[in-house]
Amino acid sequence: MKKIIIIVISVITMSSCEKEIELDLNSSNSKYVIEGEIPQNELATVKITKTVNFSDSNNFPAVKGATVTITDEIGTTEQLIETSTGVYKTQKLKGLEGKTFTLRVKAEGNTFTAKSTMPKAVKLIGLKTSLSTFAPPGEASSDNYTIFPQFFDPIELGNNYRFIQTRNGELDKSILIANDNIGNGQSNSRPLFSQNFEIKLGDNITVEMRCIDGPVYDYFFSLNSIQGNGPGGGTTPTNPVSNISGGALGYFSAFTVQKVSAVVK
């Protein structure tokens, strides 16, 4: 019998943001969801939950008692501490620019692994704002603003970016990503197009730019496409691609972090 389940994707290093995706799976196909992040010069956090059936309450069970380790490229391994149910953190190991990290999770007799390489940081120079060119239906103009992060993409092809913006402290839940297939080796001014996130004159905007590796970009690109926000609109419901092996959903990302704030004038 066909059932619907919902995967919750949370941004664990900034705040509790949720992305809900309807997936056409059998009720017996409960999946592990691993969301691992190791930011530049910060401790790693790994959150482990399981999917639930549509008929169940929206209480996504956290997976406790897992053995979670992260190993850097020189072989130093740290076992993460479960700081709250289903949330595991390093105590010493931090993300370093240009380094590769390996995640290993053992949970309830299952083993999952993933690798992520933190790219070299690309400097976020600043933010520009512009009145939106998309007026609401029936109106001649818009009073909403669009934010344009300013950065210079390196000459080497293969740079990938994720942006997270807040307005007066409120988190934009949109998936905002870019790569250098356009604008490689050039000065970039990328608009951040969000749904249901209006930015007005006088708003205080903060943008965090993360340099992410290719597999993590592919994960967020596929997640965005599943939700109908990617090129060509919606796609047939399926699971987003993942850099985690062993059958779990989610991602493991080592990324650089830069933030810039501005007031819309």
Side-chain angles (χ1 to χ4, degrees):
M1 182 174 64
K2 188 179 292 185
K3 292 284 187 179
I4 302 288
I5 67 172
I6 298 177
I7 295 175
V8 174
I9 305 298
S10 61
V11 180
I12 55 183
T13 60
M14 291 218 21
S15 63
S16 55
C17 150
E18 294 186 352
K19 288 286 178 187
E20 296 184 352
I21 315 156
E22 293 186 354
L23 302 178
D24 185 10
L25 299 174
N26 293 324
S27 59
S28 60
N29 288 344
S30 180
K31 295 280 189 179
Y32 290 89
V33 181
I34 298 173
E35 303 158 273
E37 296 189 340
I38 180 165
Q40 181 184 14
N41 300 325
E42 296 183 28
L43 300 172
T45 302
V46 177
K47 181 179 179 182
I48 309 174
T49 57
K50 295 181 78 172
T51 61
V52 296
N53 297 316
F54 180 77
S55 58
D56 297 335
S57 64
N58 276 359
N59 182 20
F60 303 93
V63 177
K64 63 181 180 179
T67 300
V68 182
T69 61
I70 293 179
T71 304
D72 65 18
E73 61 184 19
I74 63 173
T76 302
T77 298
E78 181 177 338
Q79 181 169 328
L80 282 66
I81 302 298
E82 188 171 8
T83 56
S84 59
T85 305
V87 178
Y88 303 80
K89 294 186 177 182
T90 56
Q91 302 300 300
K92 296 181 179 179
L93 186 66
K94 296 183 178 182
L96 293 175
E97 188 179 358
K99 304 300 182 182
T100 298
F101 300 88
T102 300
L103 171 69
R104 185 177 182 87
V105 174
K106 292 184 178 180
E108 300 173 345
N110 302 279
T111 300
F112 310 100
T113 60
K115 283 188 177 183
S116 183
T117 300
M118 186 182 298
K120 294 290 186 179
V122 175
K123 184 175 178 57
L124 178 59
I125 299 171
L127 305 176
K128 289 186 178 180
T129 62
S130 176
L131 272 171
S132 175
T133 57
F134 300 99
E139 297 185 19
S141 62
S142 172
D143 61 352
N144 296 326
Y145 282 76
T146 300
I147 307 301
F148 294 77
Q150 310 294 302
F151 61 97
F152 196 94
D153 182 81
I155 193 63
E156 298 82 9
L157 187 64
N159 295 283
N160 304 277
Y161 308 94
R162 182 182 177 203
F163 301 94
I164 298 171
Q165 70 175 348
T166 60
R167 174 198 60 210
N168 305 321
E170 179 184 355
L171 181 66
D172 182 0
K173 298 181 181 180
S174 305
I175 297 174
L176 306 169
I177 54 174
N179 61 23
D180 60 0
N181 288 348
I182 299 175
N184 177 55
Q186 301 175 17
S187 178
N188 277 251
S189 182
R190 301 287 185 99
L192 300 182
F193 292 123
S194 302
Q195 293 185 336
N196 304 316
F197 194 77
E198 295 181 346
I199 296 174
K200 305 291 187 179
L201 195 67
D203 283 345
N204 193 318
I205 303 299
T206 297
V207 172
E208 175 179 319
M209 185 173 83
R210 300 179 175 184
C211 295
I212 57 178
D213 62 9
V216 174
Y217 173 87
D218 292 341
Y219 168 81
F220 283 106
F221 182 87
S222 65
L223 182 60
N224 210 28
S225 297
I226 290 167
Q227 296 177 18
N229 300 324
T235 61
T236 302
T238 184
N239 293 330
V241 299
S242 175
N243 63 344
I244 300 173
S245 63
L249 303 172
Y251 65 97
F252 175 53
S253 178
F255 54 88
T256 65
V257 182
Q258 294 180 78
K259 292 183 181 180
V260 173
S261 297
V263 175
V264 179
K265 298 179 180 180

